[in-house]
Amino acid sequence: MKRAGVSSHLIAIIYALLFSFNASAFDDTHKNFLQCLYHNNSTSLSKLVYTKTNSSYSSILQFSLQNLRFSYNNTPKPLVIVTPLQPSQVQATVICSQLHGLQIRIRSGGHDYEGLSYVSQLPFVIIDFINYRKIQVDVENRAAWVQVGATVGELYYSIATKTKTLAVTAGACTTVGVGGQFSGGGYGSLIRKYGLSADNIIDAHIIDVKGRFLDREAMGEDLFWAIRGGGGASFGVILAWKIKLVPVPSTVTLFRAPRTLEQNATKLVHKWQSVASKLDNNLVLGLLLQTVNSSINKGELTVQALFNGLFLGGVDKLLPLVQESFPELGLAKEDCTEMSWIESTLYSSGSYGQQPLEVLLNRSQVNTDSFKAKSDIITDPIPESGLEGLWRLMFEDEAKDLELVIFPFGGRMSEIPESEIPFPHRAGVLYQIQYSLHWQQKGEEVAQRRINWMRKLYSYMEPFVSKSPRKAYINYRDLDIGVNNIHGNTSYEQASIWGHKYFNNNFKRLAYVKTKVDPLNFFRFEQSIPTLV
């Protein structure tokens, strides 16, 4: 078993104290927490800790806040922010938080859709991994160790500096942290060839509830299974991932083919549903639905279906594949651009042709706004009448700045068993939808109005999506589908309301692992895995 920092003897002593101390006995919780934290880390940790009296507290808190819906003055703020550089500082934070009755929130890139990586209704501490983001790329063994504070863009960049023909399967948004993305599954343009990010994780480092530093061998296969798609924050504090690098050709082809309602988009989208999951595994043909100004009916809106994707190869091989399976799209050579894989990651993040590869190192989003998101898993094509009803909703005033990002599954995703990792959405899935509604206006009244409209859209889609349960993707977190109790424990039955939607039949095993590794349910939040007792 690998350990680092705090000694196992000290861990045992402090952990035992949890049963004999009552947090309410302390007059000033956060001061006592800090005294505990500094006790063995005074020199190394004091400059990495921010309290509300620190002049940098607000800037550190706000830097990785990716949804302005959680930036209001009445949003609960952490008593302390810890920005660790080494495992021992995380170990101390975990132990001292328990000792002094504080919850922990774990932030990698700050993209949790419901703000759960930096908001809690109970007194809490944030472990912000903004400084914990080293990456080691091993080309010879086709693997990389990446600390959880690194972004997807930083990982892409580090790989590209070492090789042009190896890649990693991860997402298109390059400012997302690998800590959260990989622990929930993680997918992108290589999904149909190589599966999820989590499918390619081969080792990990985690600090458990007892403050122990564990690798895959030390944590055991049950816990290693759970953190790859089950949301790691329920089980401990993940520090780093070891992920496989996968081969890609020197030339890939990106393509974009926008089609509006006036250009037969309804029939094209309907046909796409039966085609995209069955295409060659080297091809991902995705879809983005949004409203745009009509070029035919001036002053009116229309729905645009943007067919876009990546092919692992040249355009001369791509066009015949699409022509054979989806001739109605009319994909042409001028819709396509050949480039390297790393250039394709820039294009997906909206920076291709404008900036150098170093833009991947930017941790800040170009635009930050307020948003509400939801997700659905689709197993049967939506009829044209259902799509036409969706278009009518998209024309409503409250639908302004709505996007539907639709991503096909199939390929490698259909070959991996549902129980291989906690992410269950495999064989039989045609595609996944992410609904996201954005707004710039401030205020809770505006936010509630837009959220209510999103719920209206979600209700409309119910007849057309997966059933018993209506499935969802954990990385598109949605508290509307169910939450745990804020105070005290939550029963397995209550948590199953939301748990089966994310994890289907894997939820019971997740709860079993939780019971084994965190029996007192310290690592808890609105949608944390419950114990079985």
Side-chain angles (χ1 to χ4, degrees), residues 47 49-63 81 83 107:
K47 295 181 180 179
V49 173
Y50 301 86
T51 65
K52 293 180 180 179
T53 59
N54 188 293
S55 60
S56 299
Y57 171 89
S58 294
S59 61
I60 293 292
L61 178 63
Q62 296 290 328
F63 183 79
I81 304 171
T83 60
R107 186 160 71 174

Side-chain angles (χ1 to χ4, degrees), residues 4 32 87 106 167 225 259 283 290 315 323 351 356 372 448 457 473 478 486 492 531:
N32 285 285
I106 305 162
W225 174 86
R259 302 289 187 266
L283 174 58
Q290 58 189 343
V315 65
Q323 179 62 28
S351 303
K372 172 63 180 176
Q448 195 58 54
L457 170 63
Y473 175 38
D478 179 11
I486 294 177
Y492 172 80
T531 61

Side-chain angles (χ1 to χ4, degrees), residues 91-212:
Q91 292 172 301
T93 304
V94 169
I95 293 298
C96 293
S97 294
Q98 292 176 81
L99 188 58
H100 295 287
L102 295 174
Q103 286 292 291
I104 284 179
R105 292 294 177 264
I106 305 162
R107 186 160 71 174
S108 174
H111 284 264
D112 187 286
Y113 280 12
E114 296 282 10
L116 298 190
S117 61
Y118 50 87
V119 176
S120 171
Q121 300 304 313
L122 299 174
F124 71 109
V125 174
I126 290 178
I127 300 178
D128 191 328
F129 282 108
I130 190 169
N131 296 323
Y132 197 85
R133 57 183 203 260
K134 291 180 181 177
I135 300 169
Q136 296 174 303
V137 178
D138 183 350
V139 173
E140 182 179 353
N141 293 303
R142 294 189 173 187
W145 271 107
V146 52
Q147 293 180 338
V148 294
T151 63
V152 169
E154 289 171 330
L155 178 57
Y156 287 160
Y157 180 85
S158 295
I159 294 169
T161 61
K162 299 290 182 66
T163 173
K164 304 302 181 187
T165 56
L166 291 176
V168 64
T169 175
C173 182
T174 55
T175 60
V176 171
V178 302
Q181 183 171 110
F182 292 2
S183 69
Y187 74 90
S189 58
L190 299 179
I191 184 177
R192 302 189 67 254
K193 180 73 171 180
Y194 297 114
L196 304 168
S197 305
D199 291 325
N200 291 275
I201 297 295
I202 53 179
D203 204 345
H205 292 159
I206 188 171
I207 304 297
D208 74 355
V209 72
K210 296 182 180 179
R212 298 176 299 182

